[in-house]
Amino acid sequence: MKRPLALRLSALSAATALAAAAGIALTSPEATAATGGVTGYATQNGGTTGGAGGQRVRATTGTEIHAALCGRASSSTPIIIEVEGTINHGNTGKVSGGSCNTAAGVIELKQISNVTLVGVGVGAVFDQLGIHIRQSSNIIIQNVTVRNVKKSGSPTSNGGDAIGMESDVRNVWVDHATLEASGGESEGYDGLFDMKDNTQYVTLSYSVLRNSGRGGLIGSSESDLSNGYVTFHHNRYENIDSRAPLLRGGTAHAYNNHYVSLNESGINSRAGAKVKVDNNYFEDSKDVLGTFYTDQRGSWQVAGNVFDNVTWSSPGSENYPAGPNPQSTTTVNIPYAYTLDAAGCVPDVVRRTAGAGTGLQVSDGNCTPQTPAPDPSTPTTPPPTTPGPTEPGGANLSLGAGADGSSKADGTSYGNVRDGNLSTYWSPSGSTGSVSVKWGSASSVSRVVVREASGATGVVRAWRLLNADTGAVLATGTTAGTATFPQTSLKKITFEITSASGTPRVAEFETYAS
């Protein structure tokens, strides 16, 4: 009997802890955008270069990513956005401009082109926040982690997709990414890598997709057949229930991927889809290739794959597994050059190269990881064009303001959060509560900084920022820090803690006009 996904996740967490105890360190080396290394279908239709040759901008918040897009001369001006730190709901606001179309609560790459988004430094983590590509072209996303994006529950983002593409998208390369969830649809998650409504010429390479009910899809329904020309290579799919990927129509190429613990089904080719599947390694999985959950069949071409402890179900009216002895049912002509690693070494070379924080290493076709030659347009030690500010500008509006709240603990004062003194703090009586800053007349605020007291850093786990005049939610987040939102005129602003790992201690609740 297959264990529930939550139990399988617990087992994987234990394995991760064991690896840490054995001294296997997870590192995030500096990375630069290797725009010359694109492979697969993203090389077609004119190729995919992202923001090559454009301005370099460093961003440490989602709002700064949006501001970089909106600060271009036009929606097609090339730009390379170097992202460092954790991007979440609390620091991702809508920014307006003639060269962008953004929204709060999601990284919005909409109606734009010629953009590279690359994680640098200690790494880029998009926490509970998805990346949405819509009506856009020539996009590169590299060296980022996107985790725990939900379509239900709280907070929600991007329809529950880690990376989602829809509506006339062309030429996207996602490379060395880690896309992960913490459960399936019943836990609020959807797909890790979805393409629909006329999305074409996409490559997903050297990435990790794990711990999700749904790996990803091409086509949102049996009638959405305008998608395709997608390459998947040197990726690791781990602990995925289904959709690794699901293809509805279109053409795909999957080579040198490592699939482990596909719990219900894997590559699901249906509704006329065609997929070439060569030199992959399938391990400890079920029904890794076929047409499933429909009578509208797809087809496949297979060669050189390893099936290690793979089980197959019996055929039925809506179940057409390719195994136990997979044979080709079509021929797929691949228009680009590629070099195959031997299937037997795929688990090792993918383990060493795939995912964020692996130095953008790639295989040389002989199962040996190599660091790619740097992009000629990338300086060896590039200074960011516009360094991301670590502190808001202007005066802290909380100093001298009033304060109140709810659920105050004994021995603390609401006023401690606006006295400019990090050694004093306010605490709720339990793990939740709220504290407010208020003024006698309306003040314009667009950014807040919440600082936890020494010894309590990281205790706050979920919060909301409210316009106390209207009750409107200005921002949400999962860790205390900086939150940016559209400038709002108000008399009272409230920081509401909705979840914590203990009793929070808020040293300062700073407010700024910009």
Side-chain angles (χ1 to χ4, degrees):
M1 179 181 295
K2 181 170 67 70
R3 294 177 292 169
L5 187 56
L7 292 179
R8 299 197 302 274
L9 290 174
S10 296
L12 284 173
S13 297
T16 302
L18 204 58
I24 301 173
L26 300 178
T27 61
S28 298
E30 183 80 14
T32 55
T35 53
V38 62
T39 49
Y41 274 114
T43 64
Q44 305 298 291
N45 190 44
T48 304
T49 58
Q55 181 186 38
R56 289 181 171 274
V57 177
R58 183 68 62 96
T60 59
T61 69
T63 304
E64 288 171 359
I65 294 174
H66 285 163
L69 296 172
C70 297
R72 297 184 294 164
S74 74
S75 61
S76 61
T77 302
I79 189 169
I80 298 172
I81 305 175
E82 300 177 333
V83 184
E84 184 172 19
T86 299
I87 311 301
N88 56 34
H89 284 75
N91 62 33
T92 302
K94 175 182 173 64
V95 178
S96 298
S99 61
C100 65
N101 187 349
T102 71
V106 61
I107 296 302
E108 193 82 297
L109 307 180
K110 183 177 180 180
Q111 298 168 343
I112 61 174
S113 60
N114 308 327
V115 173
T116 293
L117 202 66
V118 56
V120 298
V122 298
V125 176
F126 295 79
D127 184 29
Q128 302 184 76
L129 193 85
I131 298 175
H132 188 194
I133 305 172
R134 185 170 185 172
Q135 295 171 279
S136 295
S137 63
N138 195 23
I139 306 294
I140 295 175
I141 300 173
Q142 277 188 317
N143 199 42
V144 302
T145 294
V146 187
R147 67 188 184 197
N148 292 336
V149 181
K150 286 191 171 185
K151 68 174 182 177
S152 63
S154 180
T156 60
S157 177
N158 196 29
D161 297 336
I163 296 179
M165 291 160 269
E166 62 181 297
S167 301
D168 304 320
V169 173
R170 292 291 185 275
N171 291 86
V172 176
W173 180 30
V174 177
D175 178 63
H176 285 88
T178 297
L179 311 178
E180 57 189 5
S182 295
E185 186 176 20
S186 61
E187 287 84 20
Y189 305 98
D190 197 9
L192 296 177
F193 194 73
D194 280 9
M195 293 155 278
K196 48 196 172 186
D197 191 15
N198 198 22
T199 293
Q200 298 182 3
Y201 302 107
V202 176
T203 294
L204 176 67
S205 58
Y206 295 98
S207 294
V208 175
L209 298 86
R210 63 189 175 204
N211 301 343
S212 176
R214 297 170 172 175
L217 57 76
I218 301 173
S220 59
S221 69
E222 309 293 70
S223 61
D224 182 16
L225 304 179
S226 59
N227 310 280
Y229 306 115
V230 182
T231 300
F232 305 85
H233 75 88
H234 292 92
N235 304 298
R236 178 179 172 93
Y237 286 78
E238 179 181 3
N239 194 31
I240 303 290
D241 281 346
S242 63
R243 303 187 181 183
L246 163 62
L247 300 90
R248 293 180 170 113
T251 301
H253 184 199
Y255 71 91
N256 285 154
N257 301 292
H258 184 203
Y259 304 88
V260 57
S261 296
L262 304 183
N263 303 305
E264 296 173 8
S265 61
I267 301 173
N268 186 351
S269 179
R270 51 199 271 188
K274 299 170 61 175
V275 56
K276 185 171 185 178
V277 183
D278 48 358
N279 285 37
N280 301 281
Y281 197 104
F282 299 93
E283 182 178 2
D284 297 337
S285 297
K286 175 185 176 183
D287 284 344
V288 298
L289 174 64
T291 296
F292 306 103
Y293 323 121
T294 182
D295 60 0
Q296 298 188 42
R297 301 183 67 167
S299 56
W300 44 84
Q301 180 180 354
V302 294
N305 301 288
V306 171
F307 300 93
D308 180 359
N309 192 32
V310 171
T311 60
W312 302 90
S313 61
S314 300
S317 60
E318 293 188 346
N319 197 55
Y320 306 93
N325 181 25
Q327 301 294 314
S328 297
T329 60
T330 192
T331 299
V332 181
N333 295 316
I334 301 300
Y336 50 82
Y338 64 103
T339 302
L340 287 171
D341 286 310
C345 75
V346 162
D348 179 65
V349 74
V350 168
R351 176 184 61 82
R352 297 164 66 187
T353 58
T358 56
L360 300 183
Q361 289 197 99
V362 298
S363 175
D364 64 354
N366 295 303
C367 301
T368 304
Q370 302 287 322
T371 300
D375 174 6
S377 68
T378 303
T380 305
T381 55
T385 304
T386 55
T390 57
E391 296 291 340
N396 176 9
L397 303 177
S398 299
L399 298 176
D404 61 20
S406 69
S407 186
K408 184 176 69 174
D410 292 338
T412 69
S413 166
Y414 298 124
N416 287 338
V417 303
R418 54 170 185 78
D419 60 3
N421 186 349
L422 291 175
S423 65
T424 64
Y425 60 86
W426 162 83
S427 285
S429 57
S431 60
T432 62
S434 63
V435 62
S436 302
V437 171
K438 58 184 181 179
W439 299 270
S441 58
S443 294
S444 292
V445 180
S446 66
R447 185 176 298 206
V448 304
V449 178
V450 175
R451 304 183 190 274
E452 294 176 280
S454 176
T457 303
V459 171
V460 174
R461 294 294 176 85
W463 53 266
R464 300 193 307 167
L465 196 65
L466 306 174
N467 178 344
D469 297 352
T470 65
V473 177
L474 300 173
T476 61
T478 56
T479 56
T482 301
T484 306
F485 48 90
Q487 192 167 73
T488 303
S489 179
L490 43 72
K491 290 186 177 181
K492 183 177 178 179
I493 187 169
T494 299
F495 179 68
E496 181 184 37
I497 301 168
T498 58
S499 176
S501 60
T503 301
R505 291 187 291 175
V506 179
E508 290 298 304
F509 179 10
E510 302 172 3
T511 54
Y512 297 89
S514 62

